């Protein structure tokens, strides 16, 4: 319903990305903004998996890990340009998602959650234990993308924060555009149909298993690219990017904003990225406050922030 | 030749024979109804024909081709579609989207075209949308096209489900209690829709409790009791059959509470 106006949504997003820096009190906020966009990108991928196709994954940080460490490792060991490494990482994630997705997506509900969780834990353990390669828990340096220098030579001087803000913003807009295209396309409709009723989807000829797999692979690519961008902008990466907490964080952002709504999901990503920054005043109670916020939202706005608020505004209540 | 041939179909659940050795045929343009008391195995029979259950014995042929236990989504491709006793609607999609989903086989194409909204993808989607609008007009739901399907009345949803099944352009259509829970007006609308559909040459297999409707629109009736076929024939013959009357009204020791129509 709130997806029909594709270009309106993209316009709102672009406007926000362009206008927000006016209100930044310091250059530091470009960093925060870029982090929001990166998180939002993985979350948009999860909207496709959870919101469109109705499948759950508690292991998507595993794909973020693949994307991040592709960017860290491939330039060092194979001399690939970091930009190519992003693409190779995405391809690798897609391949792995395709392979594990086939057996895993036969499972439903809790079983699917546990199976994907297992994948995430596995990835995280591999990255942590292969010290020789990944530096283990200490992490490793990531080569620079080099694009900022190219732009500087062309006369466009950007600070690191500004550059990554613009870069991640751009990739997010592209990601949102693709997701909105998918939503209203035959494939997206088939995904949403099987979400509504798998038996009925089959009666109209929808190959349920293959559509679920497509959603899983696409969302893995989103997570992978987000992981790559995170690694590149920080210039450093640790296996935490593939960790269980990161997977949970992604799903939480998706659910908080509203699984069926792309802009909602971005709002969820923004809130959960900003909240810890604001909550530093609560020091050790930060996690507690975060948890309480989540519980309250789920009790009072069960469809997620944006869809619930939109429904209230339309006067239908929740 | 018959479009749909059901031959000796049977299934047991945990040693209990739910359906046993049921055979019948459905020709193009014919409406065949399966009737019987509650628990006679009508829906189970449907679920075997439409491959939701795998039968223990027997075969189903569509246009002479063995389709027994073919994956359900392939059945749609071969020309069989169905509706469900307890509505299976895509609740969170609009009425129009539900109908468009029925055109899935026609509108689906390469994924990459869909991801980047390339002309190919948009052309396919536009064509399906056009067909869906026509179909909604035919079942009287055109004005509700943009509504979320979950907001429709029960009778309207029943018609939407039939529309979605028709969108697949089936040769055989299985309707599981299309009028259940509908009021008299809604039942009549569905009744007409089924008769019209049969006129276009689609073979219709119907499970229905509304005996008046069954007697009015069926060409042929198959009667099940305790999972076995006890009679078949045209409505007049079947309604005179003593076994059928016994099954419905009970014969002393059996429960006498099954009278439906």
């Amino acid at each position: 319903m709130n997806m029909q106006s594709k270009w309106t949504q993209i316009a709102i997003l672009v406007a926000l990305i362009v206008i927000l820096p006016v209100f930044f009190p310091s250059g530091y906020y470009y960093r925060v903004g870029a982090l929001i966009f990166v998180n939002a990108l993985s979350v948009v991928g999860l909207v496709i998996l959870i919101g469109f196709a109705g499948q759950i994954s508690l292991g998507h940080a595993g794909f973020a890990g693949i994307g991040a460490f592709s960017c860290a490792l491939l330039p060092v060991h194979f001399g690939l340009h970091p930009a190519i490494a992003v693409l190779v990482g995405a391809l690798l994630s897609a391949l792995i998602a395709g392979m594990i997705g086939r057996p895993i997506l036969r499972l439903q509900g809790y079983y699917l959650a546990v199976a994907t969780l297992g994948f995430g834990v596995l990835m995280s353990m591999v990255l942590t234990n292969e010290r020789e390669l990944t530096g283990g828990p200490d992490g490793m340096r990531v080569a620079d993308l080099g694009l900022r220098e190219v732009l500087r030579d062309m006369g466009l001087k950007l600070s690191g924060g500004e550059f990554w803000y613009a870069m991640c913003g751009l990739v997010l807009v592209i990601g949102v555009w693709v997701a909105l295209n998918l939503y209203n396309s035959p494939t997206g409709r088939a995904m949403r149909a099987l979400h509504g009723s798998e038996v009925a989807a089959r009666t109209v000829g929808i190959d349920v298993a293959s559509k679920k797999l497509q959603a899983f692979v696409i969302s893995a690519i989103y997570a992978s690219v987000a992981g790559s961008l995170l690694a590149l902008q920080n210039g450093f990466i640790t296996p935490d990017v593939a960790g269980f907490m990161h997977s949970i964080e992604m799903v939480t952002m998706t659910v908080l904003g509203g699984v069926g709504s792309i802009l909602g999901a971005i709002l969820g990503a923004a809130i959960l990225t900003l909240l810890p920054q604001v909550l530093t005043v609560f020091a050790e109670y930060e996690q507690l406050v975060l948890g309480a916020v989540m519980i309250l939202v789920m009790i009072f706005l069960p469809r997620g922030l944006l869809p619930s608020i939109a429904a209230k505004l339309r006067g239908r209540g929740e | 030749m018959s479009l749909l041939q059901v031959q000796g179909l049977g299934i047991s659940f945990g040693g209990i024979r739910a359906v046993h050795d049921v055979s019948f045929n459905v020709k193009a343009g014919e409406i065949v109804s399966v009737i019987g008391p509650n628990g006679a195995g009508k829906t189970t029979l449907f679920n075997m024909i439409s491959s939701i259950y795998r039968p223990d014995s027997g075969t189903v042929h569509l246009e002479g081709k063995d389709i027994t236990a073919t994956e359900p989504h392939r059945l749609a491709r071969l020309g069989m579609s169905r509706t469900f006793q307890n509505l299976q609607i895509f609740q969170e999609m609009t009425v129009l989207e539900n109908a468009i989903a029925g055109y899935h086989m026609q509108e689906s194409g390469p994924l990459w075209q869909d991801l980047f909204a390339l002309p190919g993808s948009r052309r396919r989607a536009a064509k399906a949308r056009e067909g869906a609008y026509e179909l909604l007009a035919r079942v009287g739901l055109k004005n509700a096209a943009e509504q979320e399907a979950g907001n429709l009345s029960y009778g309207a949803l029943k018609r939407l489900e039939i529309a979605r099944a028709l969108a697949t352009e089936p040769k055989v259509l299985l309707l599981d209690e299309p009028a259940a829970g509908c009021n008299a007006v809604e039942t009549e609308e569905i009744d007409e829709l089924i008769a019209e559909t049969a006129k276009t040459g689609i073979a219709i297999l119907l499970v229905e409790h509304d005996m008046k409707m069954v007697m009015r629109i069926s060409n042929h009736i198959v009667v099940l009791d305790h999972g076995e076929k006890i009679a078949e024939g045209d409505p007049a013959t079947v309604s005179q059959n003593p076994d059928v009357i016994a099954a419905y009204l009970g014969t002393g020791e059996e429960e006498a509470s099954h009278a439906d129509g």
Side-chain angles (χ1 to χ4, degrees), chain B residues 57-75:
Chain B
S57 58
T59 57
V60 182
H61 284 80
L62 181 65
E63 291 187 301
K65 194 179 164 198
D66 189 351
I67 58 156
T68 320
T70 306
E71 285 175 280
H73 75 269
R74 288 188 206 286
L75 278 186

Side-chain angles (χ1 to χ4, degrees), chain A residues 202-206, chain B residues 73-80 100-109 167-170:
Chain A
R202 289 197 184 94
T203 66
V204 296
I206 293 171
Chain B
H73 75 269
R74 288 188 206 286
L75 278 186
R77 263 153 239 242
L78 294 169
M80 182 190 287
I100 298 176
Y103 285 97
H104 173 76
M105 291 176 288
Q106 286 183 37
E107 75 157 352
S108 69
T168 66
E169 298 182 352

Side-chain angles (χ1 to χ4, degrees), chain A residues 30-217:
Chain A
Y30 283 103
R31 287 278 175 202
V32 178
L35 193 60
I36 289 176
F37 297 158
V38 164
N39 284 332
L41 189 65
S42 348
V43 167
V44 171
L46 280 184
V47 168
I48 294 172
L49 183 69
I50 303 174
F52 293 12
Q55 308 300 304
I56 183 76
S57 170
L58 295 183
H60 256 51
F63 298 113
I66 294 173
F69 278 89
S70 294
C71 273
L73 292 168
L74 294 176
V76 179
H77 294 280
F78 297 96
L80 285 183
H81 189 276
I84 306 291
V86 176
L87 298 179
V88 175
L91 193 67
L92 199 62
S93 292
L95 283 175
I96 292 175
M99 277 188 319
I100 64 162
R102 216 164 265 282
I104 277 185
L105 289 166
R106 282 194 203 152
L107 305 172
Q108 307 215 322
Y110 311 122
Y111 303 100
L112 178 62
V114 171
T116 51
L117 177 72
F119 163 74
V121 169
L122 197 75
M123 277 310 302
S124 165
M125 278 171 65
V126 168
L127 292 173
T128 310
N129 293 333
E130 291 298 317
R131 281 167 187 278
E132 304 275 302
L133 205 59
T134 64
D138 299 333
M140 67 181 292
R141 278 181 46 79
V142 181
D144 191 69
L145 185 59
L147 185 59
R148 194 152 70 92
E149 286 64 41
V150 176
L151 289 176
R152 192 185 55 209
D153 293 342
M154 287 164 63
L156 186 63
K157 247 184 114 192
L158 293 174
S159 73
E162 287 166 346
F163 172 75
W164 283 109
Y165 181 87
M167 184 74 196
C168 296
L170 180 69
V171 176
L172 176 62
V173 170
I174 296 171
V176 167
W177 175 69
V178 168
L180 288 171
N181 286 341
L182 184 67
Y183 183 87
N184 270 320
S185 75
T187 304
R189 223 175 340 266
M191 287 171 182
R192 290 185 290 135
L194 79 89
H195 185 182
S197 162
E198 286 190 23
V199 271
R202 289 197 184 94
T203 66
V204 296
I206 293 171
D207 185 345
V208 168
S210 122
K211 294 300 157 194
K212 283 184 187 174
L213 188 63
Q214 286 178 358
F216 192 68
V217 169

